[in-house]
Amino acid sequence: MNAYSRYFVKKLFWYLMTLVIAIALNFFLPRMIEGNPVSLIVSQMSKGMTDSDTIKRIYETFMKEFGIDQPLGMQFLIYIKKLFTGDLGTSFGLYPKKVTDILASAVPWTIGLQLPAILVGWILGNLLGAVAAYKKGVFDKVIFPVALFINSIPFFTLAIIMLYLFALTLGWFPLSGGYDFQMVPSLSLDFIGSVIRHHTLPFLSIVLVTIGGQAIGMREMSIYELNADYVLYAKLLGIRDAKIARYVFRNAMLPQITGLALSIGTMVSGSLICEIVFSYPGLGTWMFTAIRQLDYPLISGCTLLIAVTVLLANFTIDMIYGLIDPRIKAAQMEEE
């Protein structure tokens, strides 16, 4: 087994161990929340009912149906058994809908919001940061303070401000949802237009903060590279500034590309609160609903999906770096 194979196996082992721990936490932590989900369901169903025996039978039926009457250890074993078959259980609050069906309907909305916002914010932010570092002057004096200010604003704060200003006050955009509630999803122009209108404010709130963070990172990395010894040496050799600039910004882009890969890999978990603010039908809104209803299977399903995507993103980046990063290669050779 060569050095990279050992590196791969070692990393895979630790990521699998992390996944096992994440699965256990995803099961046990929601069940540590104070309250009984069946009591909430029965209290809603039994409004106006006076027969205590009927209410008791309803309660016992749901306890048995959801498996909450079993000891916690037995519940965990059943959960693991179903997990190997791809069954994340049945939602308590949306009974009898399956958690996998709910996630399947939510993830496309989250990806459709996050992926374009991440890519647009990353491209514009890096361009602005590079220009600020290279041109200096008014670009640096204006772009950097503005980027720093925007980056200091949390996603949800900017989302609330934009919601209040452009939706509630000016009425330019809808207040909530992914499309007009009276519409039936289809490929019609009216439905697509409605989706775009509902998509605009959440999209902009994520893009603006992403631009700020990327611009700051690119500016700092570019300034660091511009002051490196190899740049001074290249200038003394008489190499053209344009050629030097290409090397500088290529080196400065490496950490930014890593950040992009992580952002794409973790986009399922990104800006969940932004989705909640706009009641966007993505993963964040469903997770918030599940927490309010003590919907253990849906909470576990959401958090497990987030954990898996984060681990996959980090593992993929580790593997790529193991191939291309000279420092990691050197460490691999030392272990041989």
Side-chain angles (χ1 to χ4, degrees), residues 222-235:
S222 297
I223 290 175
Y224 174 81
E225 293 293 335
L226 285 168
N227 292 315
D229 292 338
Y230 74 89
V231 174
L232 177 61
Y233 182 68
K235 288 180 178 179

Side-chain angles (χ1 to χ4, degrees), residues 19 45-46 64 85 98 113 125 168 194 202-203 218 227 255 330:
L19 178 61
M45 292 182 61
S46 60
K64 186 176 181 180
T85 63
K98 291 288 186 180
L113 173 63
L168 189 62
S194 177
F203 171 80
M218 187 61 182
N227 292 315

Side-chain angles (χ1 to χ4, degrees), residues 120-196:
V120 171
W122 186 83
I123 292 170
L124 293 179
N126 281 294
L127 286 174
L128 292 174
V131 170
Y134 190 71
K135 294 291 186 181
K136 296 186 172 64
V138 66
F139 289 97
D140 196 30
K141 291 179 181 178
V142 174
I143 290 176
F144 181 68
V146 170
L148 188 62
F149 172 74
I150 295 176
N151 188 58
S152 66
I153 304 175
F155 285 110
F156 60 88
T157 302
L158 186 60
I160 292 171
I161 293 171
M162 296 182 71
L163 184 67
Y164 176 79
L165 182 61
F166 296 110
L168 189 62
T169 303
L170 299 175
W172 292 354
F173 297 97
L175 282 169
S176 63
Y179 54 89
D180 293 334
F181 292 110
Q182 71 272 17
M183 300 186 74
V184 177
S186 64
L187 293 177
S188 65
L189 291 177
D190 288 341
F191 179 76
I192 293 172
S194 177
V195 169
I196 292 172

Side-chain angles (χ1 to χ4, degrees), residues 285-299 302:
T285 301
W286 283 116
M287 191 170 181
F288 180 63
T289 302
I291 292 171
R292 285 192 306 169
Q293 298 177 343
L294 296 178
D295 193 339
Y296 300 152
L298 187 52
I299 296 172
C302 291

